[in-house]
Amino acid sequence: GYATVDHHRAIRTGMPEVIFGKGKTTEQILGIAERLLERASNVLVTRTNEEVAGRMKALYPEAEYFPACGALRVWRDRTMHGKGPLAVISAGTTDMPVALEAVVTAEVMGNDVDQIHDVGVAGIHRLFGNLDRITKARVIVVCAGMEGALPSAVGGLVSCPVIAVPTSVGYGASFHGLAALLGMLNSCASNVSVVNIDNGFGGGYVASLINRL
Amino acid sequence: GYATVDHHRAIRTGMPEVIFGKGKTTEQILGIAERLLERASNVLVTRTNEEVAGRMKALYPEAEYFPACGALRVWRDRTMHGKGPLAVISAGTTDMPVALEAVVTAEVMGNDVDQIHDVGVAGIHRLFGNLDRITKARVIVVCAGMEGALPSAVGGLVSCPVIAVPTSVGYGASFHGLAALLGMLNSCASNVSVVNIDNGFGGGYVASLINRL
Amino acid sequence: GYATVDHHRAIRTGMPEVIFGKGKTTEQILGIAERLLERASNVLVTRTNEEVAGRMKALYPEAEYFPACGALRVWRDRTMHGKGPLAVISAGTTDMPVALEAVVTAEVMGNDVDQIHDVGVAGIHRLFGNLDRITKARVIVVCAGMEGALPSAVGGLVSCPVIAVPTSVGYGASFHGLAALLGMLNSCASNVSVVNIDNGFGGGYVASLINRL
Amino acid sequence: GYATVDHHRAIRTGMPEVIFGKGKTTEQILGIAERLLERASNVLVTRTNEEVAGRMKALYPEAEYFPACGALRVWRDRTMHGKGPLAVISAGTTDMPVALEAVVTAEVMGNDVDQIHDVGVAGIHRLFGNLDRITKARVIVVCAGMEGALPSAVGGLVSCPVIAVPTSVGYGASFHGLAALLGMLNSCASNVSVVNIDNGFGGGYVASLINRL
Amino acid sequence: GYATVDHHRAIRTGMPEVIFGKGKTTEQILGIAERLLERASNVLVTRTNEEVAGRMKALYPEAEYFPACGALRVWRDRTMHGKGPLAVISAGTTDMPVALEAVVTAEVMGNDVDQIHDVGVAGIHRLFGNLDRITKARVIVVCAGMEGALPSAVGGLVSCPVIAVPTSVGYGASFHGLAALLGMLNSCASNVSVVNIDNGFGGGYVASLINRL
Amino acid sequence: GYATVDHHRAIRTGMPEVIFGKGKTTEQILGIAERLLERASNVLVTRTNEEVAGRMKALYPEAEYFPACGALRVWRDRTMHGKGPLAVISAGTTDMPVALEAVVTAEVMGNDVDQIHDVGVAGIHRLFGNLDRITKARVIVVCAGMEGALPSAVGGLVSCPVIAVPTSVGYGASFHGLAALLGMLNSCASNVSVVNIDNGFGGGYVASLINRL
Amino acid sequence: GYATVDHHRAIRTGMPEVIFGKGKTTEQILGIAERLLERASNVLVTRTNEEVAGRMKALYPEAEYFPACGALRVWRDRTMHGKGPLAVISAGTTDMPVALEAVVTAEVMGNDVDQIHDVGVAGIHRLFGNLDRITKARVIVVCAGMEGALPSAVGGLVSCPVIAVPTSVGYGASFHGLAALLGMLNSCASNVSVVNIDNGFGGGYVASLINRL
Amino acid sequence: GYATVDHHRAIRTGMPEVIFGKGKTTEQILGIAERLLERASNVLVTRTNEEVAGRMKALYPEAEYFPACGALRVWRDRTMHGKGPLAVISAGTTDMPVALEAVVTAEVMGNDVDQIHDVGVAGIHRLFGNLDRITKARVIVVCAGMEGALPSAVGGLVSCPVIAVPTSVGYGASFHGLAALLGMLNSCASNVSVVNIDNGFGGGYVASLINRL
Ligand SMILES: Nc1ncnc2c1ncn2[C@@H]1O[C@H](COP(=O)(O)O)[C@@H](O)[C@H]1O
Ligand SMILES: Nc1ncnc2c1ncn2[C@@H]1O[C@H](COP(=O)(O)O)[C@@H](O)[C@H]1O
Ligand SMILES: Nc1ncnc2c1ncn2[C@@H]1O[C@H](COP(=O)(O)O)[C@@H](O)[C@H]1O
Ligand SMILES: Nc1ncnc2c1ncn2[C@@H]1O[C@H](COP(=O)(O)O)[C@@H](O)[C@H]1O
Ligand SMILES: [Mg+2]
Ligand SMILES: [Mg+2]
Ligand SMILES: [Mg+2]
Ligand SMILES: [Mg+2]
Ligand SMILES: [Mg+2]
Ligand SMILES: [Mg+2]
Ligand SMILES: [Mg+2]
Ligand SMILES: [Mg+2]
């Protein structure tokens, strides 16, 4: 067999089992998922495709597939673990796949997710129009590409932790998300920490852990 | 006048006022600090020097200066805000200045800080020797330079959030902390988020916010 | 002799003669300045030092030296060429030397300069507190380091051209201004164009040309 | 719905509404365009394709599609806003798609655009052969790939603002436009500012704003 | 003819002849292989494909093809040259193609290869579960992508030489293996040296040379 | 106390204890060294200075200091562990400090070291003039800056393992050793593996481990 | 029309007209070629394809197409301009397309070209086996990918000018030819100058100019 | 002894012996120079300093030192080897040290050097004012920093070989000469080849070799 499966963590913490789909064959993903689902209630597969989704749905009719971001979710135990609203904010329409990966992750980890999209820094009034929802959140995930300035703007408006997810949206000197990543790492807002480019999963995961505290 | 001072946030949240000392003159720092201390109980100055420290101590005898990292602290209101132990872990002796900046920050923000130093990945048994303290923490800051592998190792051992602080410790292909930064951003542990290179302040700050939740 | 002096442009356009001081010896700068000042009313020397300033003041008592940015100015013909207010905005206290170079340049080119400092993105309310002055400007220079997000925020509030000047302020993953530069080049505000890192001169110069139109 | 639409700016300023097509589905673009065209006279879609163009033309027969650069334009209100000629200059045949994006943008923003193509620095006599047209322009957009030297050469010949657009034309050490971008940022001509690689739209937009002043 | 074939080294040392398949046509590879196999017992082709494999198997039925990594092997002389166990360790399922290239190479060079897969740093207990096999090895090849921390962890547990092979597994700030490469070059374990990204062949080759000593 | 000292490895393997001096205070280095020398025969301090050397010599008269590379050695147990000659080769006069660090390391680890200097690729006849010594070596460390081509040339002449150490010697596009590092990682010689830029210690250490086998 | 054609240079110097095919449509290439061939004897098209080749051959039966590098040549005036042998040397089989572009260019510019292939640095004896031919050359073009060490080795053996052409051959840390480029720029041989990655045309062109002197 | 001295090349070709001074001690340079001057007529030391110059002049009164670039020359055999004028052109006053290194090198290699300074691209008329001298040259060295556009402009005006020397003059996004280097490598002029950043020596050397042909 291939991947050594470690059930204990999931059982212990009530967290979903997660399979990173990229670079794995359909058979590998299905094999791992089946073994996991013998014991785990919830399984999340990220970066997968229609073929895997079809095969999974045949086996587990409750499986949900999110084609915009390639996430696949078996969400059987829907216990809420988050202690308050977890917001996922995105800058532009094209950042939504990454934001969706964060949303799908945070939901399957037992959070009530509030989504706020298309509120980029160049139209800062749109951010202010959602100030109520933003300040209500206990923890916030912010997804932005291009110059990646949104986490700083959000971070300056709230006093809760902000997880910044740079996206590879952009072209030219965005260098596939590098500009956004560097911007976020240099955020002048002190409440910002950062995960990998396009890592909506990581953003949703870290925020979910924080929201359980 | 120079920097516009914003008291409201500090008063509202019980957080310290913070002055980023790098690039400011002694007079600028003293001027800002004096105005802040008229109303705020606690003030933290990062990246400052002996000269500023001497001048501040003359005015505020309770001021503490930490020469290893250049932090200066007026810590009058010592209310605890953290809801559990906050651990600061560092990989090598030379990462300690950055770790110290995190410790000083987390303390002045009202945390009980547990320090664990010199437990780099190449001597992984030293990490395991501290497993009890590590698993007890509610949130962890991990400072490491060179290959920056320690946050992944720590992250795999705990289920709490881990804030990774890459340090510029190293030479050659460490490229002033870039190697550690990239390593941490690509961490295979899902509970890791990252702040800027050498940003011990940011690590301590984000961890403190999380520990209040 | 060294540098070939070209008077014609200055005479034709009423623009100052400019000497880039960095890398030139005191004697070289003085020699060029003297020849220029035989015919030109106004001369600007950038990136120079106290020694040159002292020597110049001895020869031209009206010379002004700005130690914070190293600019030296002989401003004899004070005709206004700008057709409206030209704003220079900076994000943090440490960005002020670059902003000052822009101010000194725009003034010697005949502009009424409105300076707005310390209005970084993480305290976006400070930007809004100056909305009147900002929207009155005919053209705006915005100087910011770290994540360089301020030009996008400003750009989204106005419909005039914004010249963004990234500064090398920051540390770690700011990579000496690269983070700010990339952020500005990827600005989601369409009215933003960019000059070199720390090029306050360039920002002030381009804005002055625009303000003459 | 997806993108929050903001009519006010367009109505206020007489500027076109702009949709960045890259990364949006056909349905998304059509949906946004329809809502915009209920109130706005002019709409510009950049980085789109034949399919969107066909669908748009069926709905709005006056829509023009420019396959070389993927721009789509509904240009109903043809009021001139530019106060003089706006020149768009390109270095080589392969830079023309980017130059075309600038032209289409500047036209729909109400400018009389003078196009000068294939006048790269290695054949500098071709630039001089167009000196009359170049010096007549009130503002100039210069598109160039490879070493990106053309904006400096043009900038040295005129005293108006020059917006430099680096293109990704080239191979090897052009690093997808990085060489041209760096060249332009380091221009020894003081009247040059820069937008993102391949951002013909940004070049045309900034130049149009300047030309209204 | 194309490639100049040099038999002498192989004959002298008992090492296989190696053809780097990438960028060569099917005819080129077959031509070189045929000439080599007139005199050499063993030939290894790396980075090749099904078409070459089919053609080779028709000519040499004993040829083995490994589709996961594109290696093709004619292994006729199976003399053991390694003086002890050579371990190939990989971090994740998706690093296995690179690990397989190392295994195939080390085997054809006469080693008894012990494979240990899916023991990444975030699940460090899996590494410890294999401590016996790891400490028995005379030389170890470690393949890892993303943050590339596994070689340091392994290196700290053993006193034999460790050859680290960074893989291009990952996304975003992995920059196609750069993060893993830099991590490994900065390893705090002194027994680690590094080969090119995805160079499983190089890792297996260097380890095999060492294991003959 | 600072650094946790781990005697066991040294006692077990007969390897020296090593202290990386860079970034440690004189007191820290002396403190660690004293504790180590209570039980260990041999101690190596790298990247240290005259001051530490003087203090150490006062305590341990047998200590040797190598100012060209900053290494300090207490070498009491001179047992040979290497099973054959270990060669250290350098390309140019200015690469010698790095080569010396490798030599000092390999000696204190019990090797008979053969030094061959100033045999860079542009004078390839000098390499050939030493062919006898080169082919006699059981393992070779090659130190080179600038284009870093020497390890490939050496690697093509021998069938033993070659450890390549890129040096930061050079200027301009050497980018502080990056050019040499990349060259060595892309070596067309299969027997080459690489350590960090200027890491003479690492080169000597890995080679010494190999030479014990 | 598109490209402004400049006959004068070709007529004056007897050099071929050159069309860079990449990024141009078939119609554009044919149009330019036809106009050029009305007056010029020789035309070279680089980076083109079978379709253009077929169309050109239909019009100009003497046209030669080189599919390995995409060059197309109409070579009617075969006057020799080179004053001695011009050598084109390549390191590996996969560097041959770039070398071929250099050969095709040098031939159409009137040179007697001596081709020496597959003589990479790791098999330095193959280079020495061709020492006679190499030292006879009046000017040499050297094409190499991966570590790009061959120009230094060749440069050290001859006293004529060497034009180094880095190729994008390699993978991983070759970074699409960057490693080879940096290696060549840092060559320790003083007679080496460098052109762009994969620019076989540039190498052949510069060498041809030199060989006319 | 240190550096192995190789007289043969110099004697054979009439070229000077060259010592690269950077990173060598005064004693090392003097030692090498003395041995070389026993047999060689001409010696050039680059990147050295006043101290070495003083010591050399005491021993060889004919030694000339050029403090602007740190070159030191013993030029006893002044035979002309160049077959025509060799031009050295520089863009700005601050590029002159690099240009001077090229001049000193070309002179000691027996060339009649024509120097043309301060003719940067932004003042292209200054280049045209020297068209006569430029077109008379048999080979040209062009030194430029910042955007490095001058070699393209010169290359387009002449049909002789142009050696481009990027300089580290500039700041910010010049990245210590990288912008100029990339610009020159991507030159749209076909007669341009490039040496390392600030390598005036290399430019002068290659041009001298060409001028002997
Ligand atoms: N070491 C540090 N690194 C990054 N940000 C810091 C640091 N120290 C303070 N800051 C931030 O800088 C802000 C104060 O900046 P300033 O107004 O320039 O003094 C604080 O509110 C913090 O957010
Ligand atoms: N701080 C600056 N950054 C960039 N360019 C500058 C700066 N100051 C002056 N310049 C330019 O440098 C030119 C003068 O250069 P120079 O002849 O070397 O003194 C001026 O015409 C300006 O275009
Ligand atoms: N996957 C690989 N990566 C790097 N080098 C390789 C690889 N496979 C083979 N080689 C090297 O390529 C050489 C053969 O190259 P070639 O003559 O181009 O087939 C072998 O001797 C090996 O040194
Ligand atoms: N400024 C320079 N930049 C690059 N290479 C140089 C320079 N000066 C001298 N060299 C080269 O360095 C060699 C001498 O190196 P070395 O033996 O270390 O003194 C000469 O033969 C030149 O090829
Ligand atoms: Mg922060
Ligand atoms: Mg993570
Ligand atoms: Mg823009
Ligand atoms: Mg400029
Ligand atoms: Mg190591
Ligand atoms: Mg190798
Ligand atoms: Mg050279
Ligand atoms: Mg060229």
Side-chain angles (χ1 to χ4, degrees), chain A residues 120-125 128 145-149 152-153 155-157 170-175 178-179 182-190, chain C residues 120-125 128 145-149 152-153 155-157 170-175 178-179 182-190:
Chain A
V121 162
I124 204 88
H125 60 282
F128 284 92
M146 302 174 73
E147 83 263 64
S152 290
L157 295 174
Y171 63 90
S174 89
F175 295 124
L178 179 64
L182 294 181
M184 293 172 182
L185 286 167
N186 286 286
S187 177
C188 50
S190 312
Chain C
V121 162
I124 203 89
H125 60 282
F128 284 92
M146 300 175 75
E147 82 262 64
S152 290
L157 296 174
Y171 63 89
S174 90
F175 295 124
L178 178 63
L182 294 182
M184 292 171 182
L185 286 167
N186 286 284
S187 175
C188 49
S190 311

Side-chain angles (χ1 to χ4, degrees), chain A residues 149-161:
Chain A
L150 191 57
S152 290
V154 171
L157 295 174
V158 299
S159 52
C160 73

Side-chain angles (χ1 to χ4, degrees), chain A residues 65 100 120 137 163 178:
Chain A
Y65 180 59
L100 184 59
I163 315 301
L178 179 64

Side-chain angles (χ1 to χ4, degrees), chain D residues 122 147 149 152 156 173-174 179 183 186-188, chain H residues 122 124 147 149 152 156 173-174 179 183 186 188:
Chain D
E147 82 263 64
S152 290
S174 89
N186 286 285
S187 176
C188 50
Chain H
I124 204 86
E147 82 262 64
S152 290
S174 91
N186 285 284
C188 49

Side-chain angles (χ1 to χ4, degrees), chain E residues 62-88:
Chain E
E62 69 272 39
E64 303 162 273
Y65 180 59
F66 300 84
C69 67
L72 180 75
R73 179 168 74 184
V74 176
W75 186 14
R76 299 191 284 214
D77 174 355
R78 300 205 168 199
T79 316
M80 282 292 108
H81 298 282
K83 298 197 174 149
L86 183 163
V88 174

